[in-house]
């Protein structure tokens, strides 16, 4: 009965189909491309295309639930969700199932793997949005000291899950946490000087670390360990176009031509074809024309999310939108860029396209948040 009530509620309110239609198209593209990637996917993983379809179905139910509970519920409980997410990250380090030398997943028999860091991205957005709103409500014209204290508090909030996630290790998720933080802090309206200072400090630290990495390898390993050394080594493989994964992905894309090799005809094997390098599978199958269509759908979706921020909505919604836009744009640019050899390989997936139950459910949660923002705006105008 609740499901019927939700559908009736949706029919009486303005649903943002400019978000739902591209989402539906991306779902079709995702399932088709993952099916094509099965040629080179381990049979032990099962039918990933079917699993992705099921995750999209569960995600759709999650969207309906979100339309029922509203964003205000998430904002009110943002601290609890944040603590819950960090507890999961700690438990993951203690009891997580090692896969490829990483403890990033809980394995649930009969269900699959759950990756807490995917949901932690959302929890970080929620608590930051609440913190920024409270800060702006308390201090209309904050002093430099008040801003500095707020920056320290918010930075600690982001660093805790970042450190826990880095220890798994999952460098890609850590980068996304930091991207979300900087974008949301910029949207908060704090003084630009803080970003200049952060750029100088971070640039100096990274410059020193990379200098040791490139010119004093033994010292680097002594200071930071072999794990971080090999992660950086993998990160910089892209500059020479080296590695089976990148070389075969580039060859598959480059030989695709205007219309591609055809559905389910990926010419070469490369690892992570259904996740990190899903774009290479799609490009090799459908060529330049297919790539332009996919990029058009992604850009159309992003633009409609950005348009929501231009409306007269609650400040907390504006901050969460900044985090969503920042995360989506970064992941899209990074994933496609690393696939074509323009950016380092970081293990960051393509939102709504790459296979992954946890990541897809987290994105569908974001869709529920976006629809709520859009519908709440419609109600404001309806009842005025």
């Amino acid at each position: 009965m609740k499901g019927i009530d939700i559908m009736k509620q949706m029919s009486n309110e303005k649903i943002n189909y400019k978000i739902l239609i591209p989402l539906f198209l991306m779902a079709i593209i995702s399932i088709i491309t993952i099916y094509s990637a099965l040629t080179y996917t381990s049979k032990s993983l099962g039918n990933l295309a079917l699993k992705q379809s099921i995750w999209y179905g569960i995600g759709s139910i999650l969207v309906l639930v979100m339309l029922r509970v509203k964003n205000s519920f998430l904002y009110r409980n943002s601290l609890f969700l944040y603590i819950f997410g960090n507890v999961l990250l700690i438990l993951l380090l203690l009891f997580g199932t090692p896969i490829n030398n990483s403890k990033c997943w809980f394995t649930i028999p009969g269900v699959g793997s759950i990756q807490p860091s995917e949901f932690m991205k959302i929890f970080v957005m929620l608590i930051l949005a609440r913190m920024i709103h409270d800060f702006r409500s308390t201090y209309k014209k904050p002093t430099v000291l008040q801003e500095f204290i707020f920056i320290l508090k918010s930075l600690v909030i982001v660093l805790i899950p970042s450190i826990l996630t880095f220890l798994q290790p999952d460098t890609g998720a850590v980068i996304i946490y930091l991207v979300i933080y900087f974008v949301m802090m910029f949207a908060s309206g704090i003084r630009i000087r803080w970003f200049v200072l952060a750029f100088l400090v971070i640039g100096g630290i990274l410059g020193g670390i990379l200098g040791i990495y490139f010119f004093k390898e033994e010292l680097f390993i002594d200071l930071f360990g072999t794990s971080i050394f090999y992660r950086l080594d993998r990160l910089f493989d892209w500059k020479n176009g080296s590695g089976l994964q990148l070389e075969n992905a580039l060859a598959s894309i480059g030989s695709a031509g205007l219309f591609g090799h055809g559905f389910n005809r990926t010419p070469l094997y490369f690892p992570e074809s259904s996740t990190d390098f899903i774009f290479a599978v799609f490009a090799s199958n459908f060529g330049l024309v297919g790539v332009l269509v996919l990029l058009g759908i992604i850009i159309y979706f992003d633009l409609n999310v950005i348009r929501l921020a231009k409306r007269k909505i609650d400040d907390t919604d504006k901050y969460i939108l900044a985090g969503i836009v920042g995360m989506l744009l970064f992941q899209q640019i990074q994933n496609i860029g690393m696939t074509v050899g323009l950016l380092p390989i970081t293990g960051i997936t393509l939102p709504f396209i790459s296979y992954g139950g946890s990541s897809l459910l987290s994105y569908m949660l974001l869709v529920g948040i976006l629809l709520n923002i859009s519908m709440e705006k419609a109600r404001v105008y309806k009842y005025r």
Side-chain angles (χ1 to χ4, degrees):
M1 292 298 293
K2 288 185 177 180
I4 296 175
D5 292 339
I6 294 173
M7 296 303 293
K8 288 181 178 179
Q9 175 185 332
M10 291 173 62
S11 65
N12 293 328
E13 296 173 340
K14 187 177 180 181
I15 299 296
N16 195 332
Y17 291 103
K18 292 181 179 179
I19 289 177
L20 288 182
I21 291 175
L23 174 64
F24 177 74
L25 295 175
M26 285 190 287
I28 294 175
I29 290 173
S30 173
I31 295 167
I32 289 175
T33 310
I34 292 171
Y35 182 85
S36 180
L38 291 178
T39 303
Y40 300 116
T41 302
S42 173
K43 304 302 180 184
S44 63
L45 297 176
N47 190 331
L48 297 184
L50 176 60
K51 290 182 179 179
Q52 187 79 340
S53 303
I54 294 173
W55 287 124
Y56 258 111
I58 297 173
S60 299
I61 296 174
L62 181 59
V63 171
L64 292 176
V65 172
M66 276 299 304
L67 295 177
R68 182 75 175 181
V69 301
K70 307 303 178 188
N71 293 350
S72 57
F73 173 83
L74 296 179
Y75 298 148
R76 287 196 306 271
N77 295 280
S78 58
L79 179 59
F80 169 77
L81 293 171
Y82 172 79
I83 294 173
F84 174 70
N86 280 300
V87 170
L88 287 180
L89 293 178
I90 294 172
L91 292 175
L92 194 60
L93 293 174
L94 297 174
F95 307 109
T97 304
I99 301 176
N100 296 328
N101 298 319
S102 298
K103 284 188 174 182
C104 299
W105 300 270
F106 287 116
T107 300
I108 302 176
V111 177
S113 299
I114 296 178
Q115 189 172 2
S117 62
E118 292 291 344
F119 298 99
M120 196 68 218
K121 300 172 191 175
I122 315 301
F123 302 157
V124 167
M125 285 187 209
L126 291 169
I127 194 166
L128 284 178
R130 181 64 185 270
M131 288 179 69
I132 295 170
H133 171 77
D134 292 345
F135 175 72
R136 282 299 174 191
S137 299
T138 304
Y139 303 104
K140 301 300 181 182
K141 293 183 179 180
T143 64
V144 173
L145 179 59
Q146 289 167 341
E147 278 192 350
F148 179 69
I149 294 173
F150 170 67
I151 290 171
L152 287 181
K153 290 179 179 178
S154 59
L155 185 59
V156 169
I157 288 294
V158 176
L159 286 180
I160 292 173
S162 296
I163 293 171
L164 292 173
T165 304
F166 185 79
L167 293 174
Q168 294 177 6
D170 186 355
T171 308
V174 175
I175 295 173
I176 294 173
Y177 295 154
L178 297 176
V179 168
I180 290 170
Y181 176 70
F182 280 105
V183 172
M184 293 185 70
M185 292 303 289
F186 184 81
S188 73
I190 63 173
R191 292 171 173 86
I192 298 297
R193 71 182 68 173
W194 297 118
F195 296 96
V196 176
L197 180 61
F199 176 79
L200 293 174
V201 172
I202 294 173
I205 294 173
L206 289 179
I209 292 174
L210 292 178
I212 298 173
Y213 166 78
F214 284 115
F215 301 108
K216 299 287 184 179
E217 290 186 2
E218 293 183 1
L219 177 60
F220 185 94
I221 293 174
D222 290 338
L223 291 174
F224 303 105
T226 55
S227 175
I228 296 179
F229 177 81
Y230 286 121
R231 272 192 264 179
L232 283 177
D233 199 43
R234 179 176 179 268
L235 188 67
F236 288 109
D237 273 349
W238 70 283
K239 65 181 180 180
N240 298 317
S242 60
L244 172 69
Q245 191 174 35
L246 181 57
E247 290 176 356
N248 285 8
L250 289 174
S252 298
I253 296 172
S255 62
L258 195 61
F259 299 104
H261 297 284
F263 170 65
N264 204 19
R265 293 183 179 178
T266 308
L268 296 172
Y269 163 78
F270 42 86
E272 310 299 336
S273 57
S274 61
T275 53
D276 300 356
F277 275 71
I278 192 74
F279 180 80
V281 177
F282 181 83
S284 67
N285 283 193
F286 302 104
L288 178 60
V289 172
V291 166
L292 292 177
V293 170
L294 175 58
L295 292 178
I297 294 171
I298 291 174
I299 292 171
Y300 182 75
F301 179 85
D302 291 347
L303 288 176
N304 282 293
V305 175
I306 294 172
R307 288 192 184 101
L308 286 179
K310 295 181 178 180
R311 298 181 177 184
K312 189 176 181 180
I313 56 177
D314 182 79
D315 286 344
T316 313
D317 288 337
K318 282 187 178 293
Y319 301 138
I320 201 79
L321 278 174
I324 293 173
V325 170
M327 185 189 76
L328 289 177
L329 288 178
F330 173 75
Q331 287 197 238
Q332 291 158 355
I333 294 171
Q334 172 61 38
N335 179 272
I336 295 173
M338 75 178 190
T339 302
V340 298
L342 295 177
L343 292 172
I345 298 175
T346 56
I348 290 174
T349 57
L350 186 57
F352 299 108
I353 306 297
S354 296
Y355 173 77
S358 299
S359 61
L360 183 55
L361 290 182
S362 69
Y363 298 137
M364 295 300 280
L365 176 60
L366 291 179
V367 170
I369 292 174
L370 293 173
L371 291 177
N372 272 335
I373 293 173
S374 177
M375 292 168 66
E376 286 165 6
K377 168 65 169 55
R379 282 197 293 273
V380 168
Y381 277 85
K382 179 179 179 180
Y383 296 123
R384 277 183 178 176

